Amino acid sequence: MTILIEQPRFEVEEKKLGIIEPNELVLDGGFVVPNGTEAAEEGFVALEMNAFGHSFRDYEAESERQKGVEEFYKQNHIHQTYDYVKKMRETYKKMDRVEMSIWECCELLNDVVDDSDPDLDEPQIQHLLQTAEAIRKDYPDEDWLHLTALIHDLGKVLLLPSFGGLPQWAVVGDTHPLGCAFDSSIVHHKYFKENPDSENPAYNTKNGIYTEGCGLDNVMISWGHDDYMYLVAKENGSTLPSAGLFIIRYHSFYPLHKAGAYKHLMNEEDAQNLKWLHIFNKYDLYSKSKELVDVEKVKPYYVSLINKYFPENLRW
């Protein structure tokens, strides 16, 4: 079933990003948001620094964590090949590993920390709820977007043994297309020279094996939690609108929605959905903080959304 949604109004894109002041309004679940007159008029206000005191997505800042992040991307760029991704999609599309609810999967993320993320070392469920609660404040009528925020990273359970216990480089980090040239905007691009696909002439032109305007649905994207959760939603008959599924599948595709690379492969539906992804991405990135959400307080609301858009139990 296809659900049509109104295209976003982009006043929010013109808002200035500021710094959250202390002792401000606390949302349901304890998430801090600004409470002054100016903040109320402007909506979401982004944090200026991440949990480690650095700018967000700063891959150059010197720290032990940054060194680990760079090593992660080295392994990711060497091992993510077209053939590898094709094999992983075929394997995981079977949905034959676990049966459980969306909320049960959320709770599993208490055991997951993303080694590729230079901005966060809290359990992943906190990031999901921080993102969802911030969006809920600014877009109270878009309940599908609240739920999308809650579940967008659930695919990171691939790191756990019952889901295959995949290495970090096969689960998290920025994503990019395979089957065409690696764009220079991809973080730590230098390591692609060790990727076997870099030796295949068919994969080393702008379009590669694709045609302009073919649509991202026809493009092989590096394997990870994004594509896995998209497959889970599709295979279990989720009624989320196409924009929600697009956000889940491409929220880590930073070369596209940050640098504007690979837009020549998009079709018109992609272009419309990208508008929603740009809105979502601001909250996904800048809501990462040490302010923890009271999980039990917000749980009833999000369970009601899960029941609206998903079956009770899903195959994973």
Side-chain angles (χ1 to χ4, degrees):
M1 178 172 68
T2 300
I3 300 178
L4 299 178
I5 58 174
E6 183 180 356
Q7 287 302 313
R9 296 182 176 88
F10 288 99
E11 289 87 347
V12 67
E13 292 301 298
E14 298 173 358
K15 298 169 186 172
K16 297 178 181 178
L17 302 182
I19 304 173
I20 292 179
E21 298 293 335
N23 303 317
E24 297 287 355
L25 174 67
V26 179
L27 260 185
D28 283 355
F31 186 63
V32 177
V33 294
N35 193 29
T37 303
E38 180 180 355
E41 292 174 353
E42 292 183 354
F44 178 71
V45 178
L47 295 166
E48 188 174 72
M49 294 294 181
N50 65 19
F52 302 100
H54 299 302
S55 300
F56 284 93
R57 287 182 60 82
D58 183 353
Y59 292 95
E60 304 302 324
E62 287 294 330
S63 70
E64 287 303 312
R65 185 168 179 83
Q66 290 291 352
K67 293 175 184 177
V69 170
E70 180 166 356
E71 177 60 26
F72 161 84
Y73 276 107
K74 178 180 179 180
Q75 298 302 317
N76 175 280
H77 293 350
I78 291 172
H79 296 296
Q80 289 269 4
T81 65
Y82 184 94
D83 289 343
Y84 172 79
V85 174
K86 183 178 179 182
K87 176 183 177 182
M88 297 303 284
R89 294 196 95 243
E90 291 170 351
T91 298
Y92 278 91
K93 194 173 182 179
K94 297 173 184 176
M95 302 292 155
D96 58 358
R97 294 178 179 271
V98 179
E99 185 172 315
M100 64 179 176
S101 69
I102 289 285
W103 190 261
E104 287 173 322
C105 188
C106 289
E107 291 177 333
L108 282 180
L109 287 195
N110 282 321
D111 299 326
V112 172
V113 172
D114 182 347
D115 286 349
S116 75
D117 192 340
D119 301 321
L120 187 70
D121 65 351
E122 298 292 343
Q124 291 294 306
I125 191 170
Q126 281 297 324
H127 165 54
L128 300 183
L129 287 169
Q130 288 172 352
T131 305
E133 285 288 275
I135 291 176
R136 180 182 172 191
K137 174 182 177 291
D138 284 354
Y139 292 87
D141 298 327
E142 307 291 350
D143 66 355
W144 64 270
L145 192 56
H146 311 164
L147 181 58
T148 298
L150 178 72
I151 69 173
H152 75 280
D153 274 347
L154 291 189
K156 291 181 180 179
V157 293
L158 288 172
L159 294 166
L160 303 178
S162 56
F163 293 83
L166 298 183
Q168 290 262 343
W169 61 260
V171 180
V172 297
D174 293 4
T175 59
H176 55 270
L178 285 308
C180 58
F182 299 118
D183 190 81
S184 61
S185 65
I186 302 172
V187 64
H188 294 304
H189 179 274
K190 61 186 177 182
Y191 294 116
F192 283 120
K193 65 179 183 290
E194 300 180 56
N195 185 303
D197 285 0
S198 65
E199 303 297 323
N200 187 336
Y203 296 163
N204 283 278
T205 62
K206 182 179 179 180
N207 289 340
I209 62 174
Y210 310 111
T211 57
E212 190 165 334
C214 64
L216 295 182
D217 193 48
N218 295 305
V219 176
M220 194 75 78
I221 305 291
S222 54
W223 175 253
H225 70 280
D226 309 59
D227 207 18
Y228 176 56
M229 190 58 209
Y230 166 78
L231 290 176
V232 169
K234 288 287 287 185
E235 295 300 313
N236 284 278
S238 171
T239 56
L240 281 173
S242 63
L245 297 175
F246 187 92
I247 289 169
I248 291 170
R249 193 174 193 183
Y250 302 115
H251 68 271
S252 300
F253 191 1
Y254 278 89
L256 171 70
H257 55 75
K258 182 179 180 183
Y262 300 107
K263 284 188 174 182
H264 61 286
L265 299 177
M266 293 169 49
N267 59 24
E268 181 56 34
E269 183 177 11
D270 294 331
Q272 294 303 312
N273 287 335
L274 183 60
K275 297 175 183 179
W276 281 107
L277 179 53
H278 279 144
I279 289 176
F280 170 84
N281 180 248
K282 184 179 69 173
Y283 296 87
D284 183 28
L285 177 59
Y286 294 111
S287 63
K288 299 173 184 177
S289 77
K290 291 291 187 180
E291 297 290 344
L292 302 184
V293 176
D294 184 336
V295 177
E296 292 305 312
K297 189 171 184 179
V298 300
K299 178 179 176 180
Y301 174 70
Y302 289 102
V303 168
S304 72
L305 298 188
I306 292 167
N307 293 337
K308 178 177 179 179
Y309 290 103
F310 281 91
E312 181 177 355
N313 285 306
L314 285 71
R315 293 175 295 108
W316 297 78

